[in-house]
């Protein structure tokens, strides 16, 4: 199709980290998001970066991520590199005054997250978005709309299931919380608009398929107003990827299960296929998250949300270790993040 | 239809207690069970007893339950009177050497259950069946068959939901455990063929619809081999009656939800109706339970099962009160009950 | 369990034909129906008859079906022998003045059905029930209750699916109508309480799995008031047995699909098992049909219903052959069968 | 978010007709499609055009649709005006050599469609896409993928349901075919990659809710290879909007029903909401259709597909009138459209 050069403004995104997540984001920015394009790419693996740059309509490849961040041809930055590198890149974006979308977790430690929040607070306006994409998933937004509309009365309980088919053997049990359950920690905070104040973790005997990991686990979270949310996190569930939840209110419940549009009758079964991993399950959430970010609509998680999720996750890790209930004493919310 | 008198042997059942449950049992014995009939009826409300006797093909009405138990025209006894009366009637049946099906709970206290177990042990053979009808529900038996067949691998977790639309205002929170969750306590023991060794109870803020009762609650049970089972018990769920569970194994899961055979599209919804209470949900389980009992097939719960369910329930009540995990130290199983 | 001899009246059933259906009926009468027992058994295969008699608590084995029918120890007769034998046995039951439950079809030809109706009309009271067990299936009775309650408005359309995994190779296409679709013909008449007045049959290319049979077929039926019902009949559907329908009214629809109480997550699928044949699907319908018959509740199909189903089936066979719409000109309903 | 001017090529779309469909397309082009923007707008209602232009980032408003079509600032044209105007606008686009996406139907008459095909054939390359958006619906594409992968064997039957809550009173019965069922006519051709060669239409008595329209209808279509597809088209179904189908193959079936990601338990029901009209049901299909068109990926329906759909629709209208089966004698496919 013939097309002009020029036209409306297009935001040029610099992508740092072009593994599975980064490459997927670059593809969406190029093919499925309005008003954006990939302007630059950095990856520790230069070949991988060049491949993604080529697939993104000829984006520039940077040898230095900090050069990418400050480059005049880059309007905003998407960070999908390894967790340990998030802090430095995010801080550089803040220093450069550039909007940044950082994949979850914001940073692996509470201290690192805290430094990021401080930097943004000092900067004085919000530049950081954390990639908790479930906030854009039609299932979760539908659930929140039903709750807000009063369709199930005041919330009391929430049951969450989060299963992956397989994890790396030898993964520490804490990683199930900090890498996976962190999504539910964010969703609970977002859904109820309040903080988690107490956590406990129960564990069955570990699965023989879990390669020594303390897997599965059952988290029990209590919010400020007394809503109780349990989370089954199971990293080696084998049968497929599945994220489901049921929210129980005083007069009804909402379930998010996101069945696919087709079902199959074959071989004695009537079946719906389950996704193999999180990407097909949350494809629409990622697209909407990026569009929202490009549009500047601010529907995403803030640096404070990223800090709080990591803070609660570490309380859960402590509860996993001790077997006891742990109080979660979050510091007060800085003014920048108050609604 | 013309019919002979005489023919095959028919077991004559004496029904003690003809409230909702007792009247339902009498109806099933009369209309839907092979080889049985109601031979005698007792109720503290004589008019109610006479009504059920008339509906049962002219059964005799007894003014004294103990006279019913020892009567030569009564082959076996079904107890559906108030919980507090169970012990005396069951002990009288044992003394008379008559088979007895006692509605759950076997008795309200651990001590009373213990006395029943002792009496039967002294008697030396099994006469007592406890009415945990879920053991005959096609959903639960189907789940156990799939587990046993290895379809989901070794069990790890079980999530249970048990909701009633409404409870009596002012009901103590402990009654949710001893009256309702006791079904799940029995099912967990039956399904895994092992004892519950630790319990904890978490509670959200109570529902504003619960009239002051600590409702809902989340029980967390651990079995001998380390299977973790959680149970949401919600006595004032308003929207309907619902019993569901998902059993999670190392390679798959089984869900019991028992959808009705019809669904309705109307008014913007595609819906399946939920039952109003437990009777339609477990109608088939009750019929199969009674047929199994009449056939002497011994598929039902024993006095020991009744004792153990009450024992674990009281540990859960203690955990509800303390907020801590409680160990469950069941005494050893008497030889009479070993498989 | 100890039991008396004597007690209430028990109807003694003579079972003619102890193949799959007859043996199943005998088992239900012995084990799951109140007030009945198998009194006598006949089969052309004497060994098969003896086996069923033994499993039925020691019923007598008859060498002559007509001797069984007139025997004083037989109160009523159940016919599950081959279709071609139905007429003679049913007529003998009428001559003997004995109630008879005849498996569908009442007889293979319109003429034979007509002779049976005439014989019963001359007898002057109803003795014959035809085994259209779907009239007792909780799915179909639930659908009818919703229709009658006005939940979907006046009926307009009905879509039916009737699939078997495999049929005998070389089966004539007409047999799909007379053996299988005849169930839907009866259900349409029963559900709407009116006759089918026009039929048409459409056929795709036959399945390569159908061994030369004209399979599947699509029947299109019109009732007196103008309701349109289509029926997919597919005898070699391979994947399992399935009977489903959707009834479309002016303001909503009811679907009967009868999902099993459990679902399985395994190997990338969330699935419910489909039955292998009609027996598990309609187990409850058969039990309720027999109980209704034993109770003399007259909920079953009459000889006229059996005649009408065969009459319409033959009109469908003619439509299959011609490819045109065919009017169905049923004779007037004899007074004996008017409601 | 700060953004550059310039950057990658952006296709400037002229939108003709800004009613419900045109406004929705303009919104998607502006907010959710990569590489496009609305460059110009025409509507017979100038105020409506100005509103959509403003919401599209300040697109130009044209007073003359033909001026829009030939304008140098318009790269491609989207036609969503009334059906009767399609032919003139599409022919003008072909004359101007501009790509055009025309909402279905391509034109209301076979003759008009034929003139369009001829014009494009003379032009010598394909410029026209017809807006049969279901070809992009994840349900339908998923079904086709399963069919192509051999998951259900060779196709035999397809059952389609297409229901709208309400239509304009007095709508002629033929409009149900030409406006609504035309989607299924296209899907059948697309799915099986072959033509429909015979059609028949059955009708029940009309719904009392249909204001005199012959509604609902049951179309029965036969394809070249003998696949049989039935289509229930019901324009006044009242309860909601619903599009569903089941494709039956020799060894299994695929169902497209597209359940929403949430379900609600409330008021005695477990329910999923049905959409109120086609827009939420096919939102993703419309977005993907537009992205495919902008990308020049040619996944959409051709002018020939538009011609064939109208041709078959008119054969169905004839069959509705006559009550007989009608052969569909499509002319040969011009070389331009052969695969």
């Amino acid at each position: 199709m013939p097309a002009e050069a020029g036209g409306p403004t297009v935001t040029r995104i610099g992508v740092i980290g072009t593994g599975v997540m980064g490459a997927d984001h670059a593809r969406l920015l190029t093919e499925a998001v309005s008003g954006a394009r990939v302007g630059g790419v950095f990856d520790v693996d230069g070949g991988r970066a060049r491949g993604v740059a080529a697939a993104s309509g000829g984006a520039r490849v940077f040898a230095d991520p900090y050069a990418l961040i400050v480059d005049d041809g880059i309007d905003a930055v998407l960070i999908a590199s390894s967790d340990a590198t998030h802090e430095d890149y995010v801080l550089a974006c803040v220093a450069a005054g550039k909007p940044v979308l950082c994949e979850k977790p914001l940073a692996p430690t509470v201290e690192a997250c805290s430094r990021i929040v401080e930097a943004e607070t000092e900067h004085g306006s919000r530049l950081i978005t954390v990639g908790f994409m479930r906030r854009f998933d039609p299932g979760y937004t539908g659930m929140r709309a039903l709750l807000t509309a009063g369709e199930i009365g005041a919330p009391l309980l929430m049951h969450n299931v989060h299963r992956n088919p397989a994890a790396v053997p030898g993964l520490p049990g804490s990683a199930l919380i900090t890498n996976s359950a962190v999504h539910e920690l964010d969703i609970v905070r977002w859904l109820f608009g309040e903080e988690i104040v107490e956590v406990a973790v129960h564990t069955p005997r570990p699965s023989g398929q879990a390669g020594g990991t303390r897997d599965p686990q059952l988290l029990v979270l209590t919010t400020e107003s007394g809503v109780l949310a349990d989370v089954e996190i199971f990293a080696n569930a084998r049968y497929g990827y599945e994220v489901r939840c049921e929210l129980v209110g005083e007069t009804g419940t909402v379930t998010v299960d996101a069945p696919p549009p087709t079902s199959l009758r074959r071989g004695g079964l009537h079946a719906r296929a389950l996704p193999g991993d999180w990407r097909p399950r949350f494809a629409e959430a990622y697209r909407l998250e990026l569009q929202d970010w490009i549009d500047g609509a601010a529907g995403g998680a803030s640096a404070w949300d990223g800090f709080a999720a990591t803070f609660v996750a570490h309380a859960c890790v402590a509860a996993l270790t001790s077997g006891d209930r742990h109080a979660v004493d979050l510091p007060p919310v800085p003014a920048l993040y108050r609604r």
Side-chain angles (χ1 to χ4, degrees), chain A:
Chain A
M1 176 168 292
E4 65 168 351
T9 58
V10 171
T11 305
R12 300 161 303 180
I13 307 300
V15 176
I16 298 179
T18 54
V20 170
M21 285 304 310
D24 251 30
H25 283 310
R27 185 181 54 74
L28 288 170
L29 288 168
T30 305
E31 298 175 4
V33 168
S34 176
R37 66 179 180 94
V38 177
V41 165
F42 167 79
D43 195 277
V44 289
D45 178 339
R48 197 159 68 173
R50 282 190 294 278
V52 168
S56 302
R60 293 161 60 199
V61 177
F62 286 80
D64 175 356
Y66 300 99
L68 174 150
I69 289 168
V70 299
D71 194 280
D72 279 351
I74 298 297
D75 304 307
V77 180
L78 190 155
I79 300 175
S81 52
S82 63
D83 296 356
T85 66
H86 288 186
E87 181 185 2
D88 287 348
Y89 297 154
V90 170
L91 290 176
C93 291
V94 172
K98 291 204 180 164
V100 55
L101 173 60
C102 180
E103 261 305 310
K104 65 91 209 169
L106 178 56
T109 68
V110 171
E111 294 68 27
C113 289
S114 188
R115 285 190 292 269
I116 292 169
V117 164
E118 276 167 37
E120 190 177 39
T121 305
E122 270 175 46
H123 173 79
S125 69
R126 286 164 62 169
L127 291 168
I128 303 167
T129 303
V130 182
F132 284 122
M133 80 294 182
R134 288 197 196 173
R135 293 178 176 219
F136 297 93
D137 175 67
Y140 283 101
T141 55
M143 177 173 65
R144 190 160 85 153
L146 290 165
L147 176 64
T148 304
E151 297 279 335
I152 60 165
L156 294 168
L157 289 166
M158 188 178 183
H159 306 299
N160 298 272
V161 161
H162 182 160
R163 297 175 188 148
N164 281 277
V168 183
L171 193 74
S174 60
L176 272 66
I177 296 169
T178 55
N179 286 5
S180 293
V182 71
H183 279 295
E184 274 81 12
L185 301 182
D186 181 65
I187 279 295
V188 165
R189 295 181 63 256
W190 166 82
L191 183 63
F192 302 120
E194 59 182 32
E195 296 299 345
I196 294 163
V197 297
E198 193 188 81
V199 298
V201 181
H202 298 266
T203 50
R205 68 169 185 76
S207 171
Q209 311 272 324
T213 300
R214 208 159 162 187
D215 181 33
Q217 302 175 15
L218 185 75
L219 280 58
V220 181
L221 317 169
T222 308
T223 73
E224 288 174 77
S225 71
V227 177
L228 201 69
D230 54 72
V231 183
E232 178 205 313
I233 186 86
F234 190 5
N236 292 278
R238 294 302 169 202
Y239 72 85
Y241 179 82
E242 190 167 33
V243 166
R244 259 187 297 145
C245 64
E246 183 182 19
L247 172 59
V248 184
E250 295 198 348
T251 58
T253 88
V254 185
T255 295
V256 177
D257 54 0
T262 58
S263 64
L264 195 59
R265 284 169 165 87
R266 218 188 51 170
L269 299 176
H270 180 201
R272 289 191 196 262
L274 295 161
D277 65 27
W278 73 94
R279 284 173 296 172
R281 171 66 183 83
F282 289 109
E284 181 73 351
Y286 282 116
R287 185 182 72 79
L288 293 171
E289 177 189 56
L290 289 174
Q291 188 70 63
D292 180 275
W293 181 56
I294 294 298
D295 295 348
S302 70
W304 175 257
D305 295 321
F307 166 81
T310 294
F311 194 97
V312 179
H314 284 273
C316 291
V317 171
L320 170 68
T321 308
S322 74
D324 297 327
R325 297 174 188 232
H326 275 244
V328 181
D329 294 312
L330 269 175
V333 188
L336 183 61
Y337 305 104
R338 280 184 214 130
R339 271 154 285 213

